[in-house]
Amino acid sequence: MTIDQIEELRSREALLPIAPDSVVERYRRYPPPVFYEEFASAIATVACFIDSMNQALPAGYRIDTLAIDHTFENIGTAGRTGTRLYLSSSFFYLYDGPAVLRSVIMHEYGHIHYDLLDPEQHAELLEIWTSLQQSALFYVFRDGEYSANARVGGHPQDTPEELFASAFNLFHNNEAEIRARLQYVDPRHYPLVERLESLALSDLPGKKP
Ligand SMILES: [Zn+2]
């Protein structure tokens, strides 16, 4: 950990779940060998969750490799390349409990399910995304704000695909909470939100039990 890295952390302190000094301390405390020993059961739980999410997907779309990224630069990030899912090790030791991990993984599965939507569904999503932008409603779908001390995560404003991944996560994973927050949205927008919800919960054509 260099001074530069600590300075870099200070510059985004508002987005960190804990103070920069504590972040540095946790990264030091959990180098990979210690990490795999200390978090063996949390990693096993994540693997089980991935297996259960895989079941709804056709072959070729299932995550077959979980890669844990220990680099400081990728703190708080998750991503997917093909059937490989990358998770920053920080998700295991910087955030409060397993809810954040669950949310992050569910969001990544939202991207997989997006790939399985048909062309009409993609077109409908683009229309919904454009209308939500005009109504300034993206804030309701920022999934990071629904999970414990995460603060970051979810960027529905970027693309229709990101909106879908966030909505997929929220409607599957935080249903009661998103419904509570939607009570404060102008009811004129409900039909739009319902269309997004039904897309996020749709039984996909490529899906097999
Ligand atoms: Zn995403």
Side-chain angles (χ1 to χ4, degrees):
M1 201 67 59
T2 65
I3 298 293
D4 276 358
Q5 285 174 318
I6 296 169
E7 282 310 309
E8 214 281 297
L9 269 189
R10 291 225 166 84
S11 71
R12 47 184 174 153
E13 185 166 2
L15 298 175
L16 295 173
I18 56 178
D21 292 358
S22 309
V23 171
V24 172
E25 198 272 317
R26 303 253 178 119
Y27 265 85
R28 277 203 189 115
R29 200 197 301 173
Y30 299 115
V34 178
F35 173 84
Y36 288 108
E37 208 176 298
E38 291 271 316
F39 294 96
S41 94
I43 295 165
T45 304
V46 164
C48 278
F49 182 50
I50 290 174
D51 285 341
S52 76
M53 291 300 292
N54 276 341
Q55 283 181 14
L57 295 172
Y61 288 88
R62 296 175 185 155
I63 295 294
D64 58 17
T65 308
L66 170 63
I68 295 176
D69 184 338
H70 297 271
T71 60
F72 178 79
E73 294 70 31
N74 291 330
I75 181 173
T77 62
R80 182 179 61 99
T81 313
T83 58
R84 236 177 134 82
L85 178 68
Y86 294 86
L87 285 180
S88 165
S89 59
S90 62
F91 284 115
F92 290 86
Y93 50 72
L94 291 188
Y95 297 91
D96 288 341
V100 177
L101 269 167
R102 197 181 166 83
S103 171
V104 163
I105 294 167
M106 192 70 103
H107 178 102
E108 292 307 317
Y109 272 92
H111 283 290
I112 298 175
H113 282 259
Y114 174 86
D115 290 345
L116 285 161
L117 296 177
D118 64 32
E120 287 101 278
Q121 289 171 314
H122 282 144
E124 190 184 3
L125 193 61
L126 174 61
E127 203 189 304
I128 295 169
W129 183 83
T130 307
S131 304
L132 284 176
Q133 185 176 49
Q134 285 157 0
S135 322
L137 282 177
F138 286 143
Y139 75 93
V140 183
F141 299 96
R142 295 202 59 235
D143 37 359
E145 288 172 24
Y146 286 74
S147 41
N149 62 341
R151 298 196 214 179
V152 284
H155 25 105
Q157 69 282 0
D158 288 1
T159 57
E161 175 169 350
E162 284 302 338
L163 171 67
F164 182 83
S166 293
F168 180 89
N169 173 33
L170 291 170
F171 284 117
H172 281 97
N173 206 21
N174 295 81
E175 201 195 335
E177 182 60 25
I178 190 168
R179 291 207 191 288
R181 295 189 194 196
L182 283 168
Q183 287 175 357
Y184 302 98
V185 166
D186 186 331
R188 282 175 299 175
H189 299 307
Y190 287 169
L192 190 62
V193 173
E194 276 158 23
R195 282 168 69 201
L196 177 60
E197 179 186 353
S198 76
L199 267 183
L201 297 175
S202 67
D203 218 56
L204 302 163
K207 223 162 140 178
K208 288 191 186 72

